[in-house]
Amino acid sequence: TPAASGPDPFAPSPADTRAVAHFAAPFQNPDRRPLIGILLFDPGVAGGGLASEAVAALPSPVTVALDPSRADATDAEKTYRAAGKEVAILASNLPAGATAQDVAVSYQSYRAALPEAVALIGEPGSVLGQGGMALQQMADMLAGDGRGLISYGGGLNGAQMVAKKRGVPVVTLSRYFDATDALAPGYLAHELDRAAFLAVSAELDLIIDDVVIELGGSITAEHGIGLSYRKRLVRSADPA
């Protein structure tokens, strides 16, 4: 059967110039199932990784983080985009005492190398994973382009708070593991199963909250509300 003609109903509006609107991989979830996302760090063949073509051939919808300083970064991005994969900027750590100009110059170089990236994540341990001035300046530029931020979480998750304050789409990694972890037999399968379980649990938490509220119940906070429960508090707080 020939493909239906006409405009793509999932295409972004021409008036929407955000990177996340134009470069995100098309995705539908008609059954509204709990979601998990997979972010792959691609070091390139020179860095001991696979060829971009091999990673691009993965059947699963994944986002690939690329170091924009790689000599082949732009070509790798084109390979992934042609395969329908999303690309994120894997930003190297900024020098100590980086100025606003240093941050701006770095971001412009990221954009030039990976123009179709949907989000940015700092390398593990980077100041961009924290909540300092460098992250605040970077978040301002991400907001201007409509790109997202991926944080590592931990502690008060300053990166998430900075991003949300500036209207930057942000997600937090629930688990980070490297090649050493992945070599353990069954490790990746176990972690993916765990991520799926947590996604389902989050949906069940919201359903349970709604049932409690409908029955006239309440949620107490004798010992405070943690960051992981903040969304639930907003959903259920008495408007008074």
Side-chain angles (χ1 to χ4, degrees):
T1 303
S5 59
D8 181 355
F10 298 100
S13 165
D16 189 348
T17 60
R18 297 174 304 148
V20 292
H22 285 269
F23 305 130
F27 178 76
Q28 300 178 48
N29 184 23
D31 297 329
R32 301 181 65 83
R33 295 183 177 181
L35 304 176
I36 62 172
I38 299 174
L39 177 71
L40 298 180
F41 286 19
D42 174 15
V45 174
L50 299 174
S52 299
E53 292 78 8
V55 179
L58 290 172
S60 302
V62 299
T63 301
V64 182
L66 292 170
D67 180 349
S69 67
R70 277 175 46 179
D72 64 340
T74 303
D75 289 337
E77 179 188 62
K78 290 178 180 178
T79 298
Y80 290 126
R81 297 294 297 131
K85 300 290 191 285
E86 291 178 347
V87 170
I89 297 165
L90 177 59
S92 57
N93 202 3
L94 295 171
T99 65
Q101 183 176 5
D102 293 332
V103 176
V105 169
S106 294
Y107 183 68
Q108 294 306 321
S109 69
Y110 303 159
R111 290 181 63 200
L114 302 173
E116 296 192 7
V118 296
L120 178 145
I121 181 171
E123 64 180 14
S126 166
V127 297
L128 294 177
Q130 302 163 17
M133 290 300 298
L135 175 62
Q136 294 175 30
Q137 294 159 5
M138 189 69 75
D140 286 336
M141 288 179 282
L142 291 172
D145 282 346
R147 286 189 168 87
L149 178 71
I150 304 170
S151 77
Y152 291 93
L156 294 177
N157 200 350
Q160 184 181 72
M161 291 189 285
V162 167
K164 287 187 173 182
K165 185 175 181 180
R166 288 159 173 76
V168 175
V170 58
V171 295
T172 299
L173 296 180
S174 63
R175 185 73 171 89
Y176 168 77
F177 42 85
D178 59 20
T180 303
D181 297 322
L183 290 175
Y187 183 86
L188 289 180
H190 169 75
E191 288 299 322
L192 290 175
D193 286 344
R194 178 174 177 271
F197 172 77
L198 291 175
V200 172
S201 297
E203 292 291 325
L204 289 176
D205 276 349
L206 296 180
I207 292 172
I208 291 170
D209 286 348
D210 288 338
V211 171
V212 168
I213 295 166
E214 288 173 7
L215 295 177
S218 63
I219 298 174
T220 62
E222 296 175 3
H223 302 289
I225 296 290
L227 288 177
S228 62
Y229 286 86
R230 184 164 53 186
K231 289 183 179 179
R232 297 171 63 181
L233 181 62
V234 172
R235 286 166 55 89
S236 57
D238 190 321

